[in-house]
């Protein structure tokens, strides 16, 4: 039997009562083994099983009226940004809204009913983020499903997206050490997804989907395009080609075959963005420079050439050795052949070493072979 959303949550869509869904229940979270996949959802899972599982994720159900109040009627002064799903507004939850839910700022994402995304992306986000919790994944606090309206309520990330921090015209330059911390955090988030009991392919890894906390802790957001990884002997999952140009792996673009290595490619592109301060795809540049990977690839393995493509806004304030190692890692990640790209756990290990290298070079000068770099540390 095909389980539909309406059959699972029969009252969903009636604005007078959405209490059919997960109501204010705090039950320990499910283990990754029992994580419900999107495919389970559309085929064999029983309504009460799904409901139980999502209850375990501590999601709160909000009414549209409540979300209107906390965002001041989705006012322009609370507007945070807009993506493919729809507009995002800041809101503030007080401690009286729900028992057990502490007062906090939140970000409320409202589905644009005239946009390209819809119920499917909303549901994918609820199912994945409701069940997968990690310090480098943005926390989904709850959602709203009333009539055709679909909303998502997240923890508020004060520094917004990495895209804004890295590329916005008048933003303060991110120092090298912060860039490496962001790369490491994001790599940890991706490694967690890839190495879960039931692996997840994120598929939309990019600067605008990395959100930053006040201390620049990075978290992955936007799971609307995520997919369960291949199971058993399968090497890939086949999907409609979706994602973002400049970040999507070439073999995925041509075949629709999605693997964890496709995410690793996108991670490599992001690392290049952090190194060069250039966007993955920039149509305003001369044609040879529009695609970051194409432009940067041949400069990644030679220190002399690397210096020419590093972000001028860094003003040389980085360790050349660390930059060379990061560039070599990016080179591996954006390799043409997916099976030679590193796994995300190996990427995390390399970035951890880079972090140690940087701090070690400050404290234990004698361990560093190139003295000229020390003056360039942050
Ligand atoms: N939890 C959050 N806290 C603070 N700001 C947020 C949060 N979520 C989103 N934003 C802001 O809203 C903007 C739009 O986010 P959204 O994820 O909808 O779109 P996007 O990532 O820019 O584009 P795309 O639809 O291609 O993923 C972000 O760039 C960010 O500035
Ligand atoms: Mg996004």
């Amino acid at each position: 039997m095909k389980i539909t959303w309406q059959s699972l949550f029969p009252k969903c869509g009636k604005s007078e009562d959405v209490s059919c869904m997960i109501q204010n229940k705090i039950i320990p979270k499910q283990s990754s083994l029992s994580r419900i996949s999107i495919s389970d959802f559309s085929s064999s899972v029983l309504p009460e099983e799904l409901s139980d599982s999502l209850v375990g994720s501590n999601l709160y159900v909000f009414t549209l009226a409540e979300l209107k109040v906390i965002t001041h009627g989705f006012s322009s002064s609370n507007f945070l940004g807009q993506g493919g799903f729809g507009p995002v507004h800041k809101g503030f939850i007080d401690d009286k809204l729900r028992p057990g839910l502490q007062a906090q700022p939140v970000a409320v994402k409202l589905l644009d009913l005239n946009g390209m995304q819809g119920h499917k992306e909303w549901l994918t986000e609820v199912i994945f983020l409701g069940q997968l919790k990690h310090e480098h994944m943005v926390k989904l606090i709850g959602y709203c499903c009333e009539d055709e309206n679909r909303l998502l309520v997240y923890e508020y990330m004060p520094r917004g997206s990495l895209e804004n921090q890295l590329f916005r015209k008048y933003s303060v330059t991110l120092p090298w050490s912060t860039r490496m911390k962001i790369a490491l955090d994001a790599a940890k988030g991706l490694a967690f997804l890839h190495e879960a009991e039931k692996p997840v392919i994120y598929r939309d890894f990019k600067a605008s989907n990395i959100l930053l906390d006040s201390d620049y802790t990075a978290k992955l957001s936007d799971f609307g395009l995520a997919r369960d990884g291949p199971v058993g002997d399968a090497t890939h999952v086949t999907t409609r080609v979706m994602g973002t140009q400049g970040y999507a792996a070439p073999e995925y673009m041509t075949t629709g075959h999605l693997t964890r290595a496709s995410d690793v490619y996108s991670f490599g592109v992001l690392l290049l963005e952090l190194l060069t301060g250039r966007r993955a795809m920039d149509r305003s540049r001369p044609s040879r420079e529009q695609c970051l990977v194409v432009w940067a690839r041949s400069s990644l393995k030679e220190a002399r050439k690397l210096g020419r493509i590093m972000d001028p806004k860094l003003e040389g304030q980085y360790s050349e050795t660390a930059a060379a190692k990061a560039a070599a890692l990016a080179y591996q990640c954006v390799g043409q052949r997916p099976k030679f790209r590193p796994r995300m756990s190996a990427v995390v290990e390399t970035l951890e070493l880079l972090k140690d290298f940087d701090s070690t070079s400050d404290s234990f000068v004698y361990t560093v072979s190139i003295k000229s770099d020390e003056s360039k540390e942050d």
Side-chain angles (χ1 to χ4, degrees), residues 80-84 88 107 109 154-157 161 164 206 208-209 211 222:
L80 292 172
Q82 164 108 27
V88 186
K109 220 183 242 194
Y154 302 91
E155 66 174 316
Y156 174 68
M157 299 291 284
S161 74
N164 289 344
K206 58 181 176 178
S208 74
N209 282 343
L211 299 178
D222 267 357

Side-chain angles (χ1 to χ4, degrees), residues 20-59:
C20 56
M21 292 185 278
I22 308 119
Q23 273 274 353
N24 315 331
K25 306 226 180 90
I26 310 293
I27 293 175
K29 95 180 166 70
Q30 307 284 301
S31 77
S32 54
L33 253 187
S34 59
R35 182 173 69 78
I36 293 179
S37 353
I38 299 293
S39 54
D40 294 335
F41 179 77
S42 59
S43 55
S44 59
V45 71
L46 295 169
E48 54 275 20
E49 282 172 352
L50 178 74
S51 171
D52 280 353
S53 188
L54 290 182
V55 165
S57 64
N58 305 349
L59 292 180

Side-chain angles (χ1 to χ4, degrees), residues 206-274:
K206 58 181 176 178
S208 74
N209 282 343
I210 295 172
L211 299 178
L212 302 169
D213 221 332
S214 47
D215 64 352
Y216 290 98
T217 295
K219 301 190 185 187
L220 308 186
S221 72
D222 267 357
F223 283 72
L225 295 189
R227 285 290 170 272
D228 288 297
V231 285
D233 294 337
T235 55
H236 61 265
V237 286
T238 306
T239 68
R240 200 148 53 95
V241 177
M242 289 174 89
T244 305
Q245 251 204 338
Y247 288 97
E251 76 283 356
Y252 171 61
M253 297 282 277
T254 50
T255 63
H257 291 178
L258 192 64
T259 63
R260 283 174 279 197
S262 334
D263 279 348
V264 177
Y265 182 94
S266 308
F267 180 86
V269 177
L270 184 97
L271 195 51
L272 288 182
E273 291 188 315
L274 289 166

Side-chain angles (χ1 to χ4, degrees), residues 243-314:
T244 305
Q245 251 204 338
Y247 288 97
E251 76 283 356
Y252 171 61
M253 297 282 277
T254 50
T255 63
H257 291 178
L258 192 64
T259 63
R260 283 174 279 197
S262 334
D263 279 348
V264 177
Y265 182 94
S266 308
F267 180 86
V269 177
L270 184 97
L271 195 51
L272 288 182
E273 291 188 315
L274 289 166
L275 294 177
T276 63
R278 291 191 178 213
R279 289 177 181 275
M281 187 61 77
D282 190 344
R283 301 273 179 216
S284 68
R285 293 189 184 273
S287 56
R288 275 180 23 254
E289 298 184 21
Q290 289 185 0
C291 175
L292 178 56
V293 172
V294 171
W295 174 73
R297 200 195 301 266
S298 63
S299 306
L300 294 174
K301 293 186 80 179
E302 258 182 68
R304 189 177 45 86
K305 287 187 179 175
L306 180 60
R308 289 194 223 135
I309 65 163
M310 290 295 285
D311 188 351
K313 285 205 257 162
L314 285 167

